[in-house]
Amino acid sequence: MAPTLSALVEENRLPHLAALLRETLPDTQLKAVLDAALRIVRALPDGRLEALLDLLRSERVATAKALIARLVGYARTSGPGGTLNVELGAALTHLLTACGEGPLFPALDAVLSTRSLLDLAEPLRQTLALPLIQELLGAAGALNREALAALICNVQAALVRPGADPAESVRALLRTVAGLTDLLDTPPVSTVVDGALAELSPSGAVWPPFQALLCCEMYGTVTCPGVGSTLPPREGPPVYVYLAYDVFLTRPAELDAALALLADREVTDQLAPLVEVLQTLGREPDVRRALVALVTTLLRPEIADGVLADLSLLLDSGAFDELLAMVDAVVRSCPEDAGLFPPGDAG
C-alpha cells in the first residue's frame, strides 16, 4: 500500500525522523502525544473520520497541502544563505514557552469558535485580487515586505495599550498607507476591515484573549503591562510578517486557492468536527503541555534542520499521501460495532 514510504524507511532516507522517535523524544512525551492523537480519532462522530480522510486525500485540498510544503521549505531555507530560519524557530519557541500556559490556547479557541470569520474568506480573496492591492504589496509598493512589517508592529503596539480601542487604532493606522485610504470605505476592502474589527470588539469573545496573546508575545508576560510600565518589549525581527509576506502574499494564486477552500462551506463543515475535538483537547492541561513540549523539542535548531528535511522529502515524494491511505484503510476495515480503538491510553 505504501511502496514509496516503505522504500524511504528501508533505505534509511528518513534518519532524522527515525532518531527523533527512537532517541530524542522521551517515552512519556511520545506516549502523551500519541494518546492525544488517538483521543482525536475516538472523539470524531461516526462517519466523520472517513469523510475527513476523503477530504484530505482529495484534489480539493491539494493547494493547501502545497502551502504546507512551502511552509516547511521556508522554515528550512529562509535563513542566511538558504539555511534554517533560526529566528523563526526562536520566535515560535518564545511564543510557546511564554504563552503556552497563558493566553495562547484560549486565543486559538476563541478564533476557532468564531465561525463568522469564515465569511471573510471570500471578500479577502477579492481584496487580494485587486490590482491596486497587488501594486501596494509589490517590492516598490507602500505595503512591501518592510513597510508591511512596520505597519503590523505599529498595530500591535497600539493594541496592547491599556484601554485600546481596536477599531479606532487600526483604522487610523491603515489610513496612513498611501494608496489604501480610498479603498477602506469600498467593498471588498471595507467588508474585510469592518468584519475583522467587528470580531475584535472589546465586548466580544475574541478580543480579551487576543490582546493578552499580543502582550505575551511582545513582553513575555501573561498580563499586559499597565500604564507607566517600564517593561521593555522583546527584541527581534518581525518573522511572522516576513513569513506571511514571503509564503502567502507573494503567491496570490496559491493563496487564492486556499482561501477558496475556507470560503467553501461544504469543506469547512467537513472540518468542523475535527476543529471541535481540537478545541476540546486544547482545553485539557495535559494535552497542552504535551504539545508544547513536543513542538519546543522539534524547534531546537539541531533537531529542526534534519526533521524539516525529512518532512520535505515525505511531502515531495508522495509518501505522506500513502500514509493517509494507510490510515484510511485501517479506519474503513474496522467493524462498525467494534470501535476503532479500545478505551485506554496509547501505551
Side-chain angles (χ1 to χ4, degrees), residues 110-119 199 265 268-269 271-272:
V111 170
L112 291 172
S113 300
T114 308
R115 294 275 290 174
S116 53
L117 283 173
L118 294 173
D119 295 334
E199 300 298 346
R265 281 308 175 100
T268 54
D269 285 347
L271 291 174

Side-chain angles (χ1 to χ4, degrees), residues 117-311:
L117 283 173
L118 294 173
D119 295 334
L120 300 181
E122 181 56 33
L124 181 56
R125 283 183 68 208
Q126 298 171 8
T127 294
L128 292 173
L130 293 174
L132 182 53
I133 293 295
Q134 286 302 308
E135 182 180 333
L136 289 173
L137 290 169
L143 286 177
N144 62 28
R145 194 174 191 259
E146 295 303 329
L148 181 64
L151 174 66
I152 297 301
C153 287
N154 285 331
V155 168
Q156 182 175 3
L159 294 183
V160 299
R161 290 200 308 265
D165 183 329
E168 180 181 347
S169 299
V170 173
R171 288 186 192 281
L173 287 166
L174 289 176
R175 292 191 184 281
T176 66
V177 179
L180 185 61
T181 304
D182 293 340
L183 297 177
L184 293 175
D185 298 320
T186 306
V189 178
S190 62
T191 306
V192 175
V193 174
D194 293 347
L197 292 179
E199 300 298 346
L200 290 180
S201 168
S203 60
V206 174
W207 173 244
F210 181 73
Q211 186 189 43
L213 181 60
L214 289 179
C215 291
C216 188
E217 195 278 331
M218 192 170 185
Y219 293 102
T221 62
V222 295
T223 56
C224 294
V227 177
S229 171
T230 58
L231 185 67
R234 187 178 67 89
E235 295 185 3
V239 291
Y240 302 128
V241 181
Y242 290 163
L243 183 151
Y245 186 87
D246 296 340
V247 175
F248 299 106
L249 297 180
T250 56
R251 303 275 181 158
E254 294 178 11
L255 180 58
D256 181 83
L259 288 172
L261 283 177
L262 292 178
D264 187 333
R265 281 308 175 100
E266 183 181 346
V267 172
T268 54
D269 285 347
Q270 283 182 277
L271 291 174
L274 177 61
V275 171
E276 292 167 6
V277 172
L278 291 175
Q279 286 178 265
T280 301
L281 291 179
R283 297 167 189 150
E284 298 184 17
D286 60 325
V287 175
R288 293 200 306 268
R289 285 191 288 268
L291 181 60
V292 168
L294 172 65
V295 177
T296 51
T297 297
L298 291 174
L299 289 172
R300 284 158 43 190
E302 69 275 15
I303 294 175
D305 198 20
V307 168
L308 287 172
D310 286 1
L311 284 176

Side-chain angles (χ1 to χ4, degrees), residues 52-75:
L52 179 62
L53 288 168
D54 285 339
L55 176 64
L56 293 177
R57 296 178 61 198
S58 71
E59 285 299 316
R60 300 178 72 183
V61 298
T63 303
K65 287 189 283 189
L67 280 176
I68 293 173
R70 278 185 51 76
L71 283 170
V72 172
Y74 180 84

